């Protein structure tokens, strides 16, 4: 009702610089990411895992509500931020994965897909007539060289590689614990357990184990797998 | 007359982020949905139903006034929000259903159509020169695998799957009752009765039974059917 | 001179949502309709009629000043709102009627044309670079199934079907009387007389019988006819 | 110098609705017409005439300064409002007249050309990137059926037919006299004399007879003619 | 530095109407013309002349600094307003003159070129994405019928024909003298002398005779000629 | 930080007129020129020279830092204003020089290139979606007729020819001295010496002789030459 | 939250001039560069080096985090400013390097690539619908003539050549030391050591030697090489 005061200034037609050299629209988009559900990614030399929780009410059909998406056989991602924006990006990445397979007859490298996503995002932060994507992706996979990889892309089009990281609400706390406890020799099982532990410690609200959403990929098998609840139960 | 004060701020040419990472235009569009007539969807393993009421005066030709639309033989939807915006989306979905049938010689899955609708909506929330759709759709159908489905799409382009849900005025109260009383073993008849009960409890204004608008689809027959009043009377 | 105060806020380049989920430009366009001359449409199973009055000074050439337009042999409309906007829409509808006849060798259904008009209007309310149409149409005709129909389209792109309705100044009062006195068994003559009575009761200013503008269509003959004054006199 | 105050509000990129359903840009354009020189058109069954005066200083080459333009053999117009805008419209009409002659081998009807002009004007009042035409045309001619016609088009795209009318400064007073004294049995000579009388009565400033600009067309001969001064003198 | 106050209001993307029906951008453009150097044009039945003065410092290469441009053999113009805008228009006119010669094998009429220039200017005053031309042209020539002509075009796209006129600073005073002293029987020499006299009387600042810039065209020879200084000296 | 106050008014999408008929964006662009390093051009009948100084720190690679650019064998220029804008214009001119040579097998005239540059600049001052060029060019060359020429182009698209001129900081003082001391009989050596003298007198900050940047062209040889430092030393 | 105050003024659709002739958007973009990590480039006749440090947390996968990029065999660059913007530019440059090799069968000159990058940047500072690049590049390489080169491009599209320079936080201090200690006779080893020394002195925060990121190219071998940590250790 009394909105005029605070939305008069940024509701413009192009993302531009502030006097401090910052792109407010991009920072506001990042805010959409920061307020999302916590997502954790960890890896060791034996594999990688994504750990998060699905937020849904009893009335929702939980089987179709996901924060984690498979992108190709050897790669998937968790999304943070606006669900619809993220979906557009995941769909784009899926097509690019297949294009790569058809063109080069081999699975695409994690960083190649990450860059393609980051390039799209950069364009939406520099050109008029569009707003930036309100979405960060946390991509996990195993490269053709057998090395597990974790990458992230932000609304600005920047991307980074990680041993382990977290996004969304309370991600700072989660990253601190990761920093202390993650090491490259952990088994995939230990990674998942650590992920669950950190997720539970860093989440303000209570949540049921059924809400856990976990994906794993082992360096050996190179199959990204979104775990069924019975598999998750085994880790608890 | 004295409008200037409150519409100066959001009447801009592009949907962009607020400092809190929110898209006001999308939230305002959602407000158009929230103020609409209550619509309820419920399903069990035996089928699904849409229950709402038509709002019309005596002078209207009630036979052509609908809140529920068939989209394909096995699928339909109720609309919430701006009537004209919703109609454009329903028409789009109907064409996509037929395109799918012609291309693959089988009925389209509920989620496939839901995503197509959600993708269009996301685009209208990110690109300049258009406003978001002021419409949510509550889609009900039976998938080729014989499973009843309920999905919803919001103005942001997000979509969800449900066991049962409600939209529009007083939908929170309606969902609470749904949550308590809906179970997967109810017959289609029980679903319709529960829907009518909740609709009546959650609506502020009085309304005649003639205003009820109900559609059903059974898991077995897979025919979406908008009920004639004599069929509705049987449930009362 | 002192206009700045009140037109600074809505003179923008795109129709967008207010925080209450409303489209002001569309509502302002509707205001143009509300301030127009009163138009009344009534139907029974024997036919339908449009009753309004032409507003003109003595100096005008009354034979070319109309508020009622024939759209096809079996269909016509009265316009409410901006004359020029309405004319563009009527012309569009006339072409669509002929396209339908040429394509399917049969007269188009009233609702089909109504939807086509409503779709155009919806587009002008969602896309940038245009303003909504400041016009509502009150369409009257007889469908190929022999049923008289009355439909209306609003600037938002919404359309409705009616037994009888009114538009423009004092249309609420007119609808109230319609509601009480209209029934489906009235002869076409009774409809016209009721229409004239309501028009006279609901109009603030005095007006001469010569100013009456009346069109009729009977369910049997299916010819939309704009009545000459000698025919009108017979009803007085 | 201190203009900012009053032009901040309407100097926008698109003509849109005010809360009262009015199109300010169109009304402002009409203001340009209202402030123009008075133009009078009259007709009877024997013909029609345009009467106005040319405003020019001694230094101007009066033979090339006109407010009245021939559009086709059987039709011409007087312009009110911005001279340059009017010229564009007259040129457009002239081309359309010839296109009609070439296509149908007969002179175009007055109303047909009037509508084409009105349609162009409506588009300039609804689409972005242009301003409305600041011009009204007063068109006079004799139709193929031998009937003299007078039509006017306004910046909004509305058009009207008249027995006689006036535009520009003091046109209300002029129309009042017309209303009283014009009748359909007047000879062309009487029409011209009445026109001159009304023009002189309704004009604030003195002006010389040499400044009179008069065109006539008789129902019989169907030739639009801009009178030379010796012909005009005969009427004084 | 403190500019904000006065340029906030008119720095918009489209020329539109003020409530008084005026086009401010066009009037501001005209202001650029009004502040230019005084230019005088005069004609009699024996020919026409343009008289102005070049404003330059000692360091300028006077031979290439002109306010008067030849457009075709039988026609030329003086410019008032923005030099760069004027040049674009002169170039356009020169091309059109040649196009006419090639198409019709005869010199173009003065009014034909004047209209083409006026049409371009009108478009720049009605369409978005451009500003009006800040330039008026004072065109002088002899028509194929042997008649000398003077025309002017303004930023609005209006044009006028003249026996004699003036533009720029103090043009009102200059026109008053012209009005009194110009007559159609003057020889070309008398015209030039009158022009020089008026220019000197109406100019505030002193200037040297070397700064005079004069062009003549005689009705007989039909050659537009920019006079060398020795020719000018003869008139002093 | 507190920028809002002073940049709110001119940061618009199109260069338009102020009420005084001025184009602020063009004047602001000119300000960028006025603040640049002083550049001096002089000519006599024996040749022409450009004298300026390069501003660089010890860390810069002075051989690649230039304020003077060769455009063709017989022509070059010094730039004043934004370096990047100027470079785009110089590149454009270089291509046009070659196009001319290829088309006509002779070197282009100085004024022809100057006009082409001025035309581009005019367009950037009248059309939307671009800002004016923040650059003036000081062009020096010898025409095919053996005459040395100096021309300048401003951000507005105006151009002038000169015997000698100066641009940038303190150019007024420099022009005053030029006015007094330049004459058409000076040898090329005298021109260069005068240029150096004026540059040194008119520059506030001290600078080393190594920073001098000088180009010459003699009327006889017609080769534009950017002088190496040993050649410059000879003049000191 | 209270952002409106300071971002209302510069969030516009086009980079334009301020009254002082400055382009704020370009200056704001430069601010993004100034706040970046310090980057140092040095050269002597024996080669050139880039010295900076990678900023990353323990959780990052340091092998994929770079501030220095190879552009071609004989050339690379360090980036300062927005990471995503810089990446787009580096990719563009890489393609241009290969295009040059394919077209001319020789490595491209450093300045040629630098200009191509600067031209792109200039366009993004003058045309509407885009914002300037928030990135400066520090390019280092050895030209086909065997000369090491250092160039920089700024957001405005200006470029410079250097013997040595620094960008980012505290670059002024770094340049001062460079100015004193750099000379053209230093060996590549001495250059690297000087670079490391200056980087350490000029950086506020402590950092580990592992964070150093160093690239070298020798005049003789002409291979741009990003040093592995064991090579870097040798210099410490």
């Amino acid at each position: 009702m009394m909105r005029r005061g605070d939305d008069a200034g940024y509701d413009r037609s192009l993302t531009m610089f502030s006097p401090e050299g910052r792109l407010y629209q991009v920072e506001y988009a990042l805010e959409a990411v920061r307020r999302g559900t916590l997502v954790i990614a960890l890896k060791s030399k034996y594999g990688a895992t994504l750990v998060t929780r699905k937020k849904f009410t009893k009335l929702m059909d939980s089987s179709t509500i996901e924060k984690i998406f498979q992108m190709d056989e050897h790669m998937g991602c968790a999304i943070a931020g606006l669900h619809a924006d993220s979906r557009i990006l995941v769909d784009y990445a899926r097509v690019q994965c297949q294009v790569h397979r058809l063109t080069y007859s081999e699975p695409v490298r994690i960083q190649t897909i990450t860059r393609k996503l980051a390039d799209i995002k950069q364009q939406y932060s520099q050109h008029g007539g569009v707003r930036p994507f309100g979405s960060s992706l946390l991509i996990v996979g195993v490269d053709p060289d057998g090395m597990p990889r974790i990458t992230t892309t932000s609304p600005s089009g920047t991307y980074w590689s990680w041993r382990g990281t977290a996004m969304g609400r309370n991600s700072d706390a989660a990253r601190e614990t990761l920093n202390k406890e993650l090491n490259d020799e952990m088994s995939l099982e230990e990674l998942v357990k650590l992920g669950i532990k950190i997720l539970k410690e860093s989440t303000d609200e209570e949540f049921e184990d059924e809400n856990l959403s976990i994906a794993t990929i082992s360096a050996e098998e190179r199959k990204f797998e979104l775990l069924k609840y019975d598999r998750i139960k085994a880790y608890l």
Side-chain angles (χ1 to χ4, degrees), chain A:
Chain A
M1 205 77 48
M2 290 296 291
R3 277 285 119 78
R4 196 182 77 88
D6 36 343
D7 71 352
Y10 39 79
D11 224 15
R12 304 294 166 120
S13 57
L14 182 60
T15 301
M16 295 195 91
F17 286 103
S18 78
E20 310 89 54
R22 291 159 60 193
L23 298 168
Y24 278 160
Q25 270 300 309
V26 167
E27 298 192 6
Y28 298 166
L30 208 54
E31 194 63 33
V33 171
R34 259 184 230 118
R35 296 174 174 234
T37 320
L38 183 64
V39 186
I40 299 165
L42 315 79
K43 71 164 187 174
S44 68
K45 66 180 162 197
Y46 302 113
T49 184
L50 285 167
V51 179
T52 184
R53 66 187 178 99
K54 299 190 268 189
K55 249 174 152 175
F56 55 89
T57 67
K58 282 266 158 61
L59 284 173
M60 282 181 175
D61 192 343
S62 72
S63 68
T64 62
I65 290 148
E66 269 313 332
K67 302 263 308 178
I68 298 178
F69 298 88
Q70 181 154 9
M71 284 154 79
D72 197 349
E73 205 182 286
H74 65 301
M75 182 174 13
C77 70
I79 64 178
L82 301 189
H83 199 275
D85 285 20
S86 306
R87 201 183 62 235
I88 300 296
L89 291 168
V90 171
D91 280 355
Y92 173 77
R94 282 170 171 168
V95 171
Q96 294 304 314
C97 287
Q98 293 317 304
V99 166
H100 189 98
R101 275 188 191 272
L102 286 168
T103 315
Y104 302 106
S105 305
E106 57 167 27
V108 66
R109 289 179 57 233
I110 310 308
Q111 196 174 6
T112 305
I113 281 299
T114 304
R115 280 194 68 147
K116 277 182 193 288
L117 286 166
D119 284 356
I120 291 282
K121 285 174 158 183
Q122 193 277 341
Q123 284 170 33
Y124 274 70
S125 86
Q126 189 172 22
H127 293 84
V130 289
R131 58 166 176 79
F133 281 93
S135 160
S136 285
L137 300 187
L138 224 168
I139 303 165
V140 151
V142 174
D143 262 350
D145 64 2
M147 295 290 287
R149 302 264 179 229
I150 298 172
T151 59
T152 56
T153 67
S154 86
S156 69
T158 310
Y159 68 88
W160 302 107
S161 284
W162 305 86
R163 290 190 306 115
T165 190
M167 274 185 183
R169 224 177 281 255
N170 299 321
S171 52
D172 288 344
R175 266 198 298 255
E176 224 165 284
T177 320
L178 264 178
N179 204 8
K180 273 185 249 148
E181 305 194 12
L182 179 66
N183 77 63
D184 205 37
E185 298 298 328
M186 291 170 105
S187 71
L188 192 47
E189 200 185 316
E190 288 169 319
L191 288 176
V192 174
K193 283 182 174 166
L194 177 56
I196 294 173
K197 192 191 102 183
I198 296 175
L199 185 78
K200 291 197 167 175
E201 284 171 8
S202 315
T203 308
D204 306 330
E205 324 154 46
E206 296 268 312
F207 67 88
E208 318 263 325
D209 288 345
E210 287 89 7
N211 286 19
L212 278 171
S213 182
I214 297 174
T216 58
I217 182 165
S218 79
E220 204 175 358
E221 289 173 20
R222 306 185 192 179
K223 305 272 182 236
F224 184 88
E225 197 179 358
L226 189 51
L227 304 187
K228 296 254 161 60
Y229 182 54
D230 49 0
R231 290 280 302 280
I232 292 175
K233 252 193 303 196
Y235 291 107
L236 294 168

